[in-house]
Amino acid sequence: MPRLSEVIAALDALWPPERAEGWDAVGTVCGDPDAEIHRVLFAVDPVQDIVDEALKLGADLVVTHHPLYLRGTTSVAAGHFKGRVVHTLIKHDIALHVAHTNADTADPGVSDALAGALDLRVVRPLVPDASDPSGRRGLGRICELDPPMTLGEFAARAAARLPATSQGIRVAGDLEATVRTVAVSGGSGDSLFDAVRASGADVFLTADLRHHPVSEATQHSPLGLVDAAHWATEWPWCEQAAAQLDEISDRHGWDLRVHVSKTVTDPWSAHHTSPSIDGAPN
């Protein structure tokens, strides 16, 4: 069986930590480099539910997309929920590794997995990585939809293909408008409107869209907007990443057991539809 250091080297080759944004916190959070790794669990969030799942599964390594300590800390005391995660991991010899913005811009990356979940053909990055001579890495993806469909039909496809959450799918734009070109970006994407408009996309699928950017975007152009839950847009990456590690394991004869968590860690737990949206309340 491989040691943790060998598995981490393979993961770093897929998602080099130096390609993460300067503000990000990626890499190995805890784990003994010499420990043998038999079973790996991929998940979006490094929360206690995922750690408990890893413990029940007998995983030696958890790989998450989101960092545990994005802004640093001075304490890992178990009295705090993040400290409790660290204590549980270390007590049971479970390593934690994070691939965040370095996985967003990778080839393939988070947005490739999102496009694949919706059966879209990836054409190019939305925001290309200037350091990539092949032009394949970068943030977000521009995709083609074949055959074309209406915005309403595309939103229904997103609702059917992405993992179910209490938020569901929100849509802005003309539901009868024809969609041929789709921009996608897993995770929060309302900082990318300029790039999306410049791309000529008919619709932008992302997450965490806020009122003011959406209001301005709908006034600026007929671009359709499809807003899914943050967790739902990034979960497909876990399946993609697990398949990549499976392939590496087979190539090296490691015989790893690689799993993808189905635990929904989206923080929203319920959704109630308003009884009427015809106008302002009386």
Side-chain angles (χ1 to χ4, degrees):
M1 303 304 296
R3 300 192 182 281
L4 175 62
S5 58
E6 296 175 283
V7 178
I8 295 305
L11 298 181
D12 283 348
L14 293 174
W15 316 299
E18 63 269 18
R19 292 184 186 153
E21 296 290 337
W23 50 263
D24 206 359
V26 302
T28 305
V29 177
C30 64
D32 180 353
D34 292 327
E36 287 190 350
I37 302 299
H38 301 262
R39 198 175 295 268
V40 182
L41 178 66
F42 282 86
V44 175
D45 297 300
V47 294
Q48 191 67 42
D49 284 348
I50 297 301
V51 175
D52 291 343
E53 181 180 352
L55 184 58
K56 291 177 183 177
L57 187 64
D60 312 290
L61 170 62
V62 177
V63 180
T64 64
H65 182 51
H66 290 151
L68 178 62
Y69 287 106
L70 183 58
R71 293 175 178 83
T73 186
T74 58
S75 171
V76 292
H80 187 269
F81 68 92
K82 292 192 177 186
R84 189 161 61 252
V85 165
V86 175
H87 276 252
T88 305
L89 290 168
I90 293 176
K91 184 183 297 184
H92 297 282
D93 295 320
I94 303 172
L96 173 62
H97 186 79
V98 174
H100 192 211
T101 53
N102 48 330
D104 286 334
T105 58
D107 172 34
V110 171
S111 292
D112 292 291
L114 176 56
L118 297 177
D119 199 23
L120 302 173
R121 182 174 64 87
V122 173
V123 176
R124 63 185 187 277
L126 172 60
V127 182
D129 181 345
S131 69
D132 177 23
S134 72
R136 296 178 60 86
R137 291 199 311 266
L139 191 61
R141 295 294 185 266
I142 298 298
C143 311
E144 295 294 336
L145 182 61
D146 188 25
M149 59 179 59
T150 67
L151 175 59
E153 291 169 335
F154 177 73
R157 174 183 288 198
R161 300 283 186 89
L162 294 179
T165 63
S166 60
Q167 171 185 314
I169 300 293
R170 300 189 299 176
V171 187
D174 178 2
L175 295 180
E176 297 303 318
T178 300
V179 173
R180 294 182 177 86
T181 304
V182 182
V184 300
S185 182
S188 303
D190 62 16
S191 65
L192 300 173
F193 278 131
D194 287 344
V196 172
R197 282 191 289 265
S199 75
D202 301 307
V203 63
F204 181 31
L205 168 64
T206 188
D208 295 342
L209 291 180
R210 297 170 296 158
H211 174 86
H212 293 296
V214 169
S215 177
E216 292 173 4
T218 57
Q219 297 300 310
H220 193 283
S221 74
L223 173 69
L225 301 174
V226 177
D227 180 44
H230 190 121
W231 173 83
T233 64
E234 294 181 331
W235 184 85
W237 172 80
C238 295
E239 291 195 320
Q240 176 181 277
Q244 290 176 282
L245 183 56
D246 261 332
E247 189 277 328
I248 292 170
S249 174
D250 289 344
R251 185 172 0 117
H252 290 286
W254 286 348
D255 196 30
L256 288 176
R257 298 292 183 264
V258 182
H259 305 264
V260 175
S261 175
K262 302 296 195 297
T263 301
V264 178
T265 55
D266 183 77
W268 297 104
S269 58
H271 173 82
H272 294 274
T273 302
S274 301
S276 174
I277 57 172
D278 294 333
N282 294 325

